[in-house]
Amino acid sequence: MSLTIRLHLAAASAAAAPRPASRRRETGRAKLRNARPGAIYHADPLSHLARRPKMLGRDAVRTSPSSVIRSSLIDPDGGALVDLVVPERDRALRAKEAAALPRVGLTRIDLEWVHVIGEGWASPLKGFMREEQYLQSLHFNCLRMPDGSVVNMSLPIVLAIDDGTKDAIGSSRDVGLVGPDGDLVAVLRSIEIYKHNKEERIARTWGTTAPGLPYVDEAITPAGNWLIGGDLEVLEPIKYNDGLDHYRLSPKQLRKEFDRRQADAVFAFQLRNPVHNGHALLMNDTRRRLLEMGFKNPILLLHPLGGYTKADDVPLNVWMEQHSKVLEDGVLDPKTTVVSIFPSPMHYAGPTEVQWHAKARINAGANFYIVGRDPAGMGHPTEKRDLYDPDHGKKVLSMAPGLEKLNILPFKVAAYDTVEKKMAFFDPSRAKDFLFISGTKMRTYARNGDNPPDGFMCPGGWEVLVKYYESLQAEETKQQAAVLST
């Protein structure tokens, strides 16, 4: 599979025609605001982009008056990054005020959405969606801004309440949000309550209402029949106290880190499996190509999703330990890689959800997004087939409204080269020499204590997986013994 990039090129005829001086003074971003060029596909499109190494969004690397070099990060959606965490000096007063308000209880997933909204991952969204925003997201996958432009917003970010909570709120304009542990975590102001049509939401988000959709079963089916939207104020930064909070960098913190590293390009990669050498080959090859295009210091954002995932997914702490070993073993260069956790819950909603994943990384400063086969997809819950066409995710990203400034980089296919004894890009001319090791097969190896072929994954990373599956088997044996003894 060749890499694909969406470029933002003015039509040649328009470029050749004379323009008034006032039009010539427009910035590149303003010129493109109302344009929607189609995707451009090339056998080697990165070399094509090399003729235009200037970054989208901000200008190329520049020196500020204080001589601090800043990275060439594209602007966040809406032009300014949303930060809804109350300043420390005001927290005691806001918490006192919140204690007197009607309360809305949050589930663990609701709290993750408070985290996502509060740090600006969903910029320009400033709270849980009111009905107008919800309908735009549900039916158009985007929000229209006051200036007429659109930003991508493919997933409704909403908070459900039941009849009893609605009655308790009464005519109050503001409510306090209480976390699963009973602590006040946020205030929702100027609220709007509207009906929660679950069937419509499920059908339009997943394209099916088949039973067995993990996020639906976990977060929508048991939720209330009302949605409450409003402006969010987060009383203090969300922490999980699980030993991984230092990995949870906000968009603001990531942008600061990219500036510190003097990045002139940022390419983001989200995995749903441990990093094997094929993934590393893709990431390292992408950086090499960006360097060939003229970028001086492209930085990789290795960004696993850290919110809700279905029960049979590898736990986050195992992912992070495995990713850490990949850097320790030198498979990825720590100097050019930032490992962080993306706090969003996972929907498994395929082409609809992958737009959200890409959009959120824009707000963190990424201007390249690597997308693989069947991104955010899963097996059909009741039939033996994929729920979504495996190629539709990357195609949708190349056309999605509001993502024009993001360059989409679909996977090259990597497999184990049995001749070279290493992971390599698949060569159709000698297909018989390649062994495809799926995520399922990889997990089977680890579960059975078998080693994959040499060169498939770094030893340290593989050891993490083997230990995880050994712990699962030990726990299963313990539970079976307890049942038998009972």
Side-chain angles (χ1 to χ4, degrees), residues 274-294:
V275 175
H276 58 61
N277 289 348
H279 297 133
L281 173 66
L282 172 67
M283 290 182 270
N284 288 327
D285 187 68
T286 299
R287 187 172 195 275
R288 177 187 64 80
R289 289 168 177 262
L290 291 172
L291 289 169
E292 289 177 352
M293 289 160 45

Side-chain angles (χ1 to χ4, degrees), residues 378-388:
M378 58 173 281
H380 194 284
T382 61
E383 302 175 17
K384 292 184 177 181
R385 62 179 177 86
D386 289 332
L387 182 55
Y388 306 105

Side-chain angles (χ1 to χ4, degrees), residues 90-162:
D90 299 328
R91 288 174 189 169
L93 181 61
R94 299 288 178 84
K96 183 178 180 180
E97 178 187 358
L101 296 173
R103 298 191 174 194
V104 172
L106 302 176
T107 66
R108 168 73 181 219
I109 291 177
D110 293 333
L111 182 64
E112 291 169 356
W113 283 122
V114 169
H115 187 175
V116 165
I117 301 167
E119 289 189 343
W121 294 103
S123 291
L125 195 66
K126 295 183 178 180
F128 285 103
M129 291 178 174
R130 297 183 176 90
E131 187 174 34
E132 183 176 297
Q133 295 171 319
Y134 170 69
L135 292 174
Q136 289 184 64
S137 173
L138 195 66
H139 292 272
F140 310 132
N141 291 160
C142 58
L143 300 178
R144 186 169 295 282
M145 302 298 291
D147 64 359
S149 63
V150 298
V151 297
N152 195 275
M153 193 69 72
S154 63
L155 290 182
I157 301 179
V158 292
L159 178 60
I161 58 174
D162 58 22

Side-chain angles (χ1 to χ4, degrees), residues 404-420:
E404 293 86 353
K405 59 187 175 182
L406 184 67
N407 298 294
I408 306 303
L409 306 172
F411 263 104
K412 274 183 168 181
V413 177
Y416 186 76
D417 188 330
T418 58
V419 175
E420 298 294 332

